[in-house]
Amino acid sequence: MEARAQGRTKGGFIAGVAFFILVMWGLYQTALDVKDWLTDASRLPMSELLLQGQHEYLKADELRAAVLDGAELRNFFELDVNELQARLNALPWVAQVSVRKKWPNKIKVYLTEQDVAARWNGNRFVNTKGEVFSAPDRVKKPLMQLSGPDDQAAKVLEASHQYETLLAAKGYKLLGVNLTPRHAWELTLDGNIQLFVGRSDIALRLQRFIDAFPVIEPRERVAYVDLRYDTGMAVGWKKSEEKVNDQHRR
């Protein structure tokens, strides 16, 4: 009888193990089916894009290409929000972007573009924070031309605001500001008049120009005004008569 009991116990254990394996196999197959269902692009496709925020310079096809990334359908569960955000952040005119998924089929994208302040070194831009960036030139409004070492962009931008305010109060339009490698300032006024201001006493020298320029004749032929003097300035003329005039002293 003891042998018979042991046989029944062993048979029950084997049956229990077989039942456990069968259950686990069933759960595994169910998990595979659920995974296939969740990752099936034909189920719960991301079919709606909600774009929020200002986007003047970004093109719709650039945004669409970044969102789709070569795929016409995106499954809700498979879409990697961080990956999509990185692709959108890589677009040249994008400053900041956030991406969210909304059940069951919507992608919500909020983005801000670079707030462009001026052109930088001819082929790039500087934003209102003084950061230099590269982007396709889609700006139709006139921008001031700034130039100098890249690490001085914020300084040049701030200075341009100060010089523009000072000159505009007297009717002069500032078109460009350059900071030379030796940290000297050069300004360009309407009419392509160059002002060589130097490295110190900038406001004083600009005031000297404002006071003296109205008496210079003929003003339309002035090519540059060199203000790098303690009490005077020198004038260079356009065309064949481009020469340095005697210093005008107050």
Side-chain angles (χ1 to χ4, degrees), residues 144-215:
M144 190 176 294
Q145 301 279 351
L146 305 182
S147 54
D150 283 354
D151 62 353
Q152 298 295 311
K155 178 180 179 179
V156 176
L157 178 64
E158 181 181 1
S160 72
H161 294 324
Q162 298 173 359
Y163 303 154
E164 183 179 32
T165 300
L166 177 61
L167 291 165
K170 298 298 182 179
Y172 298 100
K173 185 176 182 180
L174 182 63
L175 300 183
V177 177
N178 174 50
L179 180 63
T180 71
R182 299 185 65 181
H183 297 275
W185 294 100
E186 300 174 352
L187 312 184
T188 302
L189 302 185
D190 196 18
N192 202 33
I193 299 173
Q194 304 291 315
L195 302 184
F196 302 123
V197 189
R199 291 181 289 183
S200 61
D201 300 324
I202 307 301
L204 180 64
R205 292 175 179 181
L206 287 178
Q207 188 60 52
R208 185 190 309 156
F209 165 79
I210 291 170
D211 294 340
F213 191 70
V215 302

Side-chain angles (χ1 to χ4, degrees), residues 8-21:
R8 284 198 301 268
T9 302
K10 186 175 181 180
F13 175 76
I14 294 174
V17 171
F19 177 75
F20 176 77
I21 293 174

